[in-house]
């Protein structure tokens, strides 16, 4: 089970760090991704970190502002979000995937419940 946390209401230019913690299992052998969804829109890829080399990939819209990282000892994945913009407002979900990394929602095996990030202008 994945538990996402750390969302909140911030102003444009502020930072937030989201956390995703696994219970009942280990994240060490999973690629981990963050996705986000605005009501009425499709869920979209934000960032992913692989499970072997810790290679990271980002959506163009967040590149240079967001950083995904993982701490397998704590069974936790993070999404550091800097210089937040109003268009970053969304519910953020973490997800776990066995095997090769993916930016495709449907290839993920497990999902957290989501945490809301609201960025005011």
């Amino acid at each position: 089970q994945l538990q996402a946390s750390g969302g909140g209401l911030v102003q444009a230019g502020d930072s937030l760090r989201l956390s995703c913690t696994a219970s009942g299992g280990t994240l060490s052998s999973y690629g981990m991704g963050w996705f986000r969804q605005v009501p009425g829109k499709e869920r979209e890829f934000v960032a992913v970190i692989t499970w072997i080399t810790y290679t990271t990939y980002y959506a163009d819209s967040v590149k240079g502002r967001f950083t995904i990282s993982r701490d397998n000892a704590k069974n936790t994945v993070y999404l550091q979000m800097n210089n937040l913009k109003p268009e970053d407002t969304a519910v953020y979900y973490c997800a776990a995937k066995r095997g090769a990394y993916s930016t495709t929602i449907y290839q993920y095996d497990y999902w957290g419940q989501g945490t809301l990030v609201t960025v005011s202008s």
Side-chain angles (χ1 to χ4, degrees):
Q1 185 175 4
L2 300 177
Q3 180 77 30
S5 62
L9 172 62
V10 297
Q11 293 187 332
D14 285 351
S15 298
L16 274 178
R17 189 177 78 159
L18 306 183
S19 299
C20 175
T21 302
S23 58
T26 176
L27 294 179
S28 60
S29 59
Y30 287 81
M32 297 299 300
W34 284 97
F35 296 79
R36 64 187 182 186
Q37 187 170 22
V38 175
K41 294 190 175 182
E42 292 188 355
R43 194 169 298 185
E44 64 176 12
F45 165 74
V46 175
V48 63
I49 184 167
T50 65
W51 69 281
I52 296 179
T53 60
Y54 289 20
T55 303
T56 58
Y57 301 90
Y58 298 92
D60 288 342
S61 58
V62 306
K63 203 171 293 183
R65 300 187 297 122
F66 290 12
T67 303
I68 187 172
S69 61
R70 65 191 300 160
D71 185 340
N72 285 346
K74 295 183 178 180
N75 227 19
T76 300
V77 176
Y78 304 98
L79 185 68
Q80 177 67 43
M81 306 186 295
N82 297 330
N83 189 23
L84 282 160
K85 302 176 180 181
E87 52 263 43
D88 295 318
T89 296
V91 177
Y92 284 72
Y93 298 88
C94 61
K97 180 188 180 298
R98 299 183 190 90
Y101 87 95
S102 173
T103 62
T104 304
I105 296 170
Y106 306 107
Q107 295 186 357
Y108 279 76
D109 302 296
Y110 303 99
W111 289 85
Q113 86 291 358
T115 185
L116 176 62
V117 172
T118 304
V119 184
S120 64
S121 57

